[in-house]
């Protein structure tokens, strides 16, 4: 779907900009955004966890491994280390703490995971593999993930339901957490009767467990009107700036309302198109109807909106030729809560027609 979205977006921007070339240096882009290639890992198409992996990549919660040719691979079936999982957990759940965490001899200041370990350990979410070591490079087990997830979401997720019975889970420190996580549907077994608590968790398994917990957070839901207003304002501001050929304002709109994949896609598309413009073509845009937005998924930090009924007419004049097309604006808007408690759109996925 995202490949189709990229094609549609590039085509639409090409029509918008084809007559109105501008210097990219005159547009105030966002302070920073990632290369668009980083949002298209090469090894997840057809994977059983594709939707979750793709979603985490879009939201800047999961990074891939550079392949040396500008592309990245997620390696979804590879083990995930303790440091990697804690870093994703802290970011995805929005964990914060100003208190000092545990001191581990193998977590050196300045390491990319040091701050995440400090936050998680200060909140009691993680401990070490010994009294002095955290084991950042060790593969994390499925049982350890259950423990960390239950601790991290103990105040925001209601762990209710019938716990599953796994015959291979002994009476050890993680057994209670595995039971609680199974009650909420956060974890499931490798078979109907086995959990494999000591098995190395794969990157795909880890993010699926984490996403399930995130969706169950219902204690601090955003106001529906707040979310729909953000989507409406972003759409109206973008269309207005495009129709008025005000690209400085268009850039401000992107930086204000977008993050993750949506931010990178918007700015990258504009950059790519500046060198392929035809000055002899003219174009008009008419907004036929505003899209209506409704919340179809909602949790403390993540939401999905559906846009329906929005249409615009695009008329392109090139010499004696005229092309006119009505474009549907129906699709999904995915939003996440930022560290400053604002909400931003990290992916817009139009429905395929």
């Amino acid at each position: 779907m995202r490949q189709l979205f990229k094609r549609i977006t590039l085509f639409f921007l090409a029509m918008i900009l084809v007559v109105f070339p501008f210097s990219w240096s005159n547009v105030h882009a966002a302070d920073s955004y990632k290369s668009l290639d980083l949002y298209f890992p090469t090894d997840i198409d057809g994977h059983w966890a594709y939707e979750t992996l793709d979603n985490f990549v879009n939201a800047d919660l999961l990074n891939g491994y550079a392949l040396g040719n500008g592309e990245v691979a997620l390696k979804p079936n590879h083990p995930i280390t303790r440091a990697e999982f804690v870093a994703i957990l802290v970011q995805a759940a929005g964990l914060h703490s100003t208190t000092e965490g545990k001191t581990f001899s193998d977590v050196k200041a300045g390491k990319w995971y040091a701050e995440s370990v400090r936050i998680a350990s200060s909140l009691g979410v993680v401990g070490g593999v010994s009294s002095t070591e955290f084991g950042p490079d060790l593969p994390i087990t499925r049982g350890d993930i259950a423990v960390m997830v239950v601790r991290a979401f103990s105040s925001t997720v209601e762990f209710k339901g019938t716990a599953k019975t796994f015959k291979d889970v002994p009476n050890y420190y993680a057994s209670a957490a595995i039971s609680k996580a199974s009650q909420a549907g956060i974890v499931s077994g490798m078979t109907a009767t086995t959990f494999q608590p000591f098995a190395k968790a794969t990157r795909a398994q880890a993010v699926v467990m984490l996403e399930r917990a995130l969706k169950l957070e219902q204690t601090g839901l955003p106001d529906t009107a707040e979310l729909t207003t953000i989507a409406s304002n972003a759409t109206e501001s973008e269309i207005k700036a495009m129709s008025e050929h005000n690209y400085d304002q268009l850039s401000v709109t992107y930086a204000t309302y977008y993050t993750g994949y949506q931010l990178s896609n918007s700015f990258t598309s504009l950059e790519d198109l500046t060198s392929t413009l035809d000055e002899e073509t003219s174009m008009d845009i008419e907004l036929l109807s505003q899209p209506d937005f409704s919340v179809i998924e909602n949790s403390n930090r993540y939401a999905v909106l559906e846009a329906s009924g929005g249409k615009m007419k695009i008329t392109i004049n090139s010499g004696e030729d005229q092309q006119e097309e009505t474009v549907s604006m129906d699709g999904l808007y995915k939003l996440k809560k930022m560290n400053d408690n604002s909400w931003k759109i990290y992916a817009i996925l139009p429905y395929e027609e």
Side-chain angles (χ1 to χ4, degrees), residues 4 18 81 118 138 145 167-168 178 235 311 318 343 353:
L4 174 67
V18 72
T81 68
R118 180 196 68 78
L138 295 177
I145 286 182
K167 64 182 182 181
D168 63 341
I178 294 171
T235 302
K311 293 184 182 297
S318 180
W343 286 79
E353 294 186 333

Side-chain angles (χ1 to χ4, degrees), residues 78-123:
H78 284 220
I80 184 170
T81 68
R82 289 170 54 83
E84 287 173 334
F85 181 73
V86 170
I88 297 171
L89 171 61
V90 168
Q91 184 179 10
L95 301 182
H96 300 281
S97 174
T98 57
T99 61
E100 186 176 346
K102 293 183 179 180
T103 299
F104 297 109
S105 61
D106 54 355
V107 178
K108 305 298 182 182
K111 286 289 188 178
W112 62 267
Y113 50 80
E115 180 64 2
S116 295
V117 172
R118 180 196 68 78
I119 292 172
S121 64
S122 71
L123 295 174

